[in-house]
Amino acid sequence: MGGNEQAIQAKTILVDNIPPQIIFAPPAQRLKSATIRLQGTATDGLAGMDKVELIVAKKEDPTLYHARTVNGGSFNEVIDIFAGENLIIIEAKDRAGNRKEVSAIVTNDVDGPGMNPQISDHLGQRIDDKQSVQPGD
């Protein structure tokens, strides 16, 4: 053997270009509450999880939002929501920089269903909001 021989070494390089997986049970589509609980798990089999962003934005004006960052993959957070329609966004990021996003729409029905009550007197005559009934009429 001469002095010009080299030892050859093989190295395996793993490239992670697969986004994380998110397991998330969307909350009820319609509720009456000032807060919402977001819970679930984000996993990544190769690089590992970096963080999960939880965002609740007012659908009519996405510049109004509440956000929470959770390091790692598991999340169980209570976040304020807005009256009306809310866009729930959960974005997971792994350590390789791959991202995955899931979303849902939740309506915070603070007013409840519209009501148009009809009130009648003892004779069955409809009374509107401009009439008054005096005892003995």
Side-chain angles (χ1 to χ4, degrees):
M1 290 199 165
N4 292 332
E5 293 181 20
Q6 294 181 357
I8 298 175
Q9 295 181 4
K11 291 193 178 189
T12 302
I13 299 173
L14 300 175
V15 177
D16 182 1
N17 58 6
I18 299 171
Q21 296 298 310
I22 300 172
I23 299 170
F24 163 63
Q29 291 181 347
R30 184 171 293 276
L31 49 90
K32 290 182 182 224
S33 177
T35 61
I36 191 167
R37 179 175 296 279
L38 301 177
Q39 60 187 52
T41 306
T43 58
D44 184 78
L46 191 55
M49 286 305 304
D50 179 21
K51 64 183 177 179
V52 178
E53 296 278 341
L54 308 172
I55 302 164
V56 176
K58 187 165 180 67
K59 189 172 179 211
E60 298 85 35
D61 184 1
T63 62
L64 298 174
Y65 66 92
H66 303 293
R68 187 97 27 97
T69 301
V70 178
N71 293 321
S74 294
F75 54 93
N76 185 1
E77 300 288 322
V78 175
I79 300 179
D80 292 338
I81 62 173
F82 300 95
E85 288 188 310
N86 291 265
L87 176 61
I88 311 294
I89 301 170
I90 299 175
E91 182 183 58
K93 180 181 165 210
D94 68 17
R95 290 186 184 129
N98 301 306
R99 296 174 184 268
K100 170 118 184 213
E101 183 180 289
V102 295
S103 63
I105 301 288
V106 173
T107 301
N108 183 9
D109 190 5
V110 294
D111 296 327
M115 293 182 59
N116 186 11
Q118 295 187 3
I119 302 170
S120 301
D121 66 11
H122 67 285
L123 298 174
Q125 298 294 318
R126 186 168 182 263
I127 301 171
D128 65 25
D129 62 347
K130 300 190 182 30
Q131 293 176 308
S132 64
V133 175
Q134 299 299 320
D137 282 348

